[in-house]
């Protein structure tokens, strides 16, 4: 019996390109909650998907929750270059989650803090600025959500 959150059909839902993106994102989230890392290649493939919901969920999963270093540069790219504000916000959130990991060097942490600070200054969307600001606070240990 499955003790996790994932449903029996979640792997096929995740992989079905014709499936509703919101349903695919929900399946992805459940698989990530269950630490089903064998789906990493499938999730990584969604980092460039045309649907922003899938890009958001995949970067949060790979960098924020699983803290996989090889996707950190992709998170930085999504934060700075993605046309969708929700994806840029998710990039900020994922990077701040990653930066709190004990495996991250002080130099890496500072680089992420600098990128988030730059985002607060230059991003054209206030939602992204807010996500970056909250990410800075998260990294520095202040979990209060202070509005800009």
């Amino acid at each position: 019996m499955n003790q996790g959150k994932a449903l029996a059909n979640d792997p096929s839902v995740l992989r079905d390109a014709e499936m509703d993106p919101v349903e695919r994102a929900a399946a992805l989230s459940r698989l990530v909650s269950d630490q089903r890392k064998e789906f990493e290649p499938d999730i990584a493939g969604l980092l460039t998907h045309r649907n922003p919901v899938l890009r958001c969920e995949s970067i949060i999963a790979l960098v924020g929750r699983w803290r996989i270093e090889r996707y950190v540069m992709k998170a930085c790219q999504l934060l700075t270059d993605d046309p969708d504000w929700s994806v840029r916000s998710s990039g900020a959130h994922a990077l701040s989650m990653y930066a709190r990991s004990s495996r991250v060097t002080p130099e890496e942490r500072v680089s992420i803090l600098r990128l988030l600070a730059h985002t607060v200054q230059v991003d054209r969307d206030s939602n992204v600025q807010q996500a970056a600001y909250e990410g800075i606070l998260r990294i520095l240990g202040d979990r209060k959500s202070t509005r800009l």
Side-chain angles (χ1 to χ4, degrees), residues 46-108:
L46 298 175
L47 290 169
T48 57
H49 195 276
R50 69 184 177 280
N51 187 287
V53 171
L54 292 171
R55 293 196 307 276
C56 288
E57 289 297 322
S58 60
I59 201 61
I60 292 290
L62 296 168
V63 175
R65 297 192 56 202
W66 285 348
R67 292 174 171 84
I68 302 174
E69 183 179 6
R70 68 180 159 276
Y71 300 108
V72 170
M73 289 308 298
K74 183 63 177 179
C76 294
Q77 181 213 351
L78 291 174
L79 171 60
T80 58
D81 299 336
D82 199 277
D84 189 275
W85 72 266
S86 64
V87 177
R88 295 194 311 276
S89 292
S90 292
H93 185 67
L95 286 167
S96 68
M97 292 169 71
Y98 177 82
R100 299 236 352 175
S101 169
S102 61
R103 295 180 295 171
V104 174
T105 67
E107 293 80 14
E108 291 171 312

